[in-house]
Amino acid sequence: MQTESSTLVARSPKVTEFLSKPRKLLIGGKWVEAKSGKTFKTLDPATGEVLAHVCEADAADIDEAVKAARAAFNGPWSKLTPSQRSRLLWKLADLLEQHTEEFAQLESLDNGKPLAVARIADVPLAVDNFRYMGGWCSKIEGNTIPLSAGNNFLAYTLREPVGVVAQIIPWNFPLLMAVWKLGPALAAGCTVVLKPAEQTPLTALRLGELFAEAGFPDGVVNIVPGFGETAGAALAAHPDVDKVAFTGSTEVGKLIVKAATGNLKKVTLELGGKSPNIVMGDADVEVAIAGAAHAIFFNHGQCCVAGSRLFVHEKLFDQVVEGVAAKAKKIRLGHGMDSGTQMGPLVSDEQLARVTDFLNSGVSEGARAAAGGARHGAQGYFVQPTVLVDVQPHMKVVREEIFGPVVTAHPFKTLDDVHIAANDTIYGLGAGIWTRDLSIAHRLAAKVKAGTVWVNCYNVFDAAMPFGGYKQSGWGREMGHNAIDLYTETKSVCIKL
Ligand code: NAP
Ligand code: MG
């Protein structure tokens, strides 16, 4: 790990202007202040400095936003044809693409991630997702069903939008998480109230401005930044919300489920992970080392699918651990807007404290850091990329989601050993397998309990490929046609002829 001091990329004038005013709530197509008049600050996590002030929604504003979403759902939005919805989503994608640099800078400043990553990953993946989902609008179909009840019936299904949807998202990929949720909801014909994470509200708010520009009717998308315990909880419990879609911690996911019971709204959840990344004895070692480092260090380990438990066949263990540790030590930490930066800070002082607590607990339970192991520097929320060895299955660092650049490395002997160890977790989001043996790849892919299994690659996402979790990693899937299914209800119509 290294730090380089060089100059920061100049902020685009549009970014400077966006940050210069308190950002308001988007409700019913209007930008309004919170009824309470309250605002909160969003910080640059590399320096701790205030980036912008944001109006803070609470239950009263959430109520207004839900009313606006309901009015749009019952009104102008339901009158559009599927192809009109498609064109709006494609126009939105075009606008987002045209503003790539502005969105990438806002994301880098607010979240801390390297600007280059936001430019080549976050924004283009978001654009792609809107384009892909735009294509679905005209392909949401029912079936005709032959009934054994008699030949004198015509039965068919309709797929209808679920209705008003609450979407609550985290801070690790602020724009992309908003788009993963908005795209299928809008394609299916739902209207939305979206609450961004308190740490990173900026790109969702900027995106909010593009809906009017693209021509969406007022109230189809409402954006209400605020805190989880107030705005988020009010949204999850709201009696006129038909579905809540949440991404974040498993702990809060359980609160969302409880809050949803009042009106039994539909719930989809994308939660935490402790994903196993398995290097078999026949793997291409250099490829596996690079893959293992990428799997844990991408986005500073703040990925729900982070390959945070590295299982390596005993004959390659030392070589792979040394390789990943060497890569960890070379990663250049710095401000996201510094073009030399490969890893930025964690998102907040809270996350810094959480991750360093995990590091301390690992060492006190007997783990050893082959690389990293501590905070980096005294300013900003930086943590050293860390590889922990001498770890045991019962340790907190092995069992719990750290959500930072920290991997635990475990040797194994046989395929059976490793698939049991890989599944020894409450989570089941992602998994990686590194092997040249196709038969092993397929056998292991079938045994690992995870929503996505990558073989000889990691962190490959595509708008067409379903994503979500087994076990306590979630309910339902995002992306692909599965996401559309979860934003629609099936209605059977049965006619006696
Ligand atoms: P979090 O508390 O689960 O927050 C995710 C979202 O839920 C945020 O928008 C948050 O609002 C909101 N929220 C919080 N409490 C709520 C409640 N009672 N009702 C409704 N909404 C609520 O995640 P975090 O605190 O940012 O991070 C804590 C840990 O969660 C991380 O260390 C990591 O382990 C895990 N995490 C996982 C993912 C993932 O993608 N799977 C993403 C982020 C975090 P506020 O921002 O205002 O709190
Ligand atoms: Mg911030």
Side-chain angles (χ1 to χ4, degrees), residues 141-342:
E141 300 170 336
N143 303 104
T144 54
I145 303 155
L147 295 194
S148 297
N151 290 332
N152 54 339
F153 292 99
L154 171 64
Y156 61 91
T157 55
L158 297 172
R159 295 210 72 118
E160 297 179 346
V162 164
V164 173
V165 179
Q167 304 187 324
I168 301 175
I169 57 167
W171 41 258
N172 52 346
F173 294 89
L175 174 68
L176 193 57
M177 291 302 99
V179 172
W180 276 18
K181 292 208 173 351
L182 287 163
L186 298 173
C190 298
T191 57
V192 176
V193 179
L194 175 93
K195 192 201 88 64
E198 72 192 67
Q199 298 85 351
T200 56
L202 296 177
T203 44
L205 289 167
R206 179 66 185 101
L207 183 68
E209 297 181 340
L210 299 187
F211 286 97
E213 208 178 327
F216 281 80
D218 290 349
V220 171
V221 174
N222 304 275
I223 302 186
V224 283
F227 297 111
E229 300 73 25
T230 49
L235 200 44
H238 201 288
D240 200 32
V241 167
D242 300 300
K243 167 180 162 126
V244 56
F246 170 80
T247 297
S249 60
T250 294
E251 192 189 343
V252 174
K254 291 177 183 178
L255 296 177
I256 299 283
V257 170
K258 284 198 190 116
T261 55
N263 68 338
L264 284 180
K265 56 175 69 66
K266 311 290 179 255
V267 180
T268 49
L269 304 169
E270 202 263 275
L271 307 176
K274 194 72 185 173
S275 300
N277 197 14
I278 304 167
V279 181
M280 300 304 298
D282 70 317
D284 178 327
V285 184
E286 289 311 315
V287 172
I289 288 171
H294 168 72
I296 185 62
F297 297 136
F298 177 63
N299 212 44
H300 327 165
Q302 302 172 130
C303 295
C304 43
V305 289
S308 51
R309 291 179 302 141
L310 176 62
F311 295 96
V312 186
H313 190 274
E314 57 182 2
K315 76 177 190 200
L316 296 181
F317 186 76
D318 289 345
Q319 193 183 349
V320 170
V321 167
E322 274 164 33
V324 176
K327 287 198 182 293
K329 290 173 188 164
K330 281 200 197 115
I331 291 174
R332 285 192 305 272
L333 279 93
H335 196 289
M337 295 284 280
D338 183 329
S339 52
T341 291
Q342 294 171 320

Side-chain angles (χ1 to χ4, degrees), residues 369-384:
R375 182 181 183 179
H376 167 80
Q379 193 202 33
Y381 315 131
F382 294 89
V383 167
Q384 299 170 351

Side-chain angles (χ1 to χ4, degrees), residues 42-43 110 199:
T42 189
L43 308 179
D110 209 9
Q199 298 85 351

Side-chain angles (χ1 to χ4, degrees), residues 13 43 128 141 274 426 473 477:
L43 308 179
D128 214 47
E141 300 170 336
K274 194 72 185 173
I426 60 164
S473 288
R477 294 292 178 268

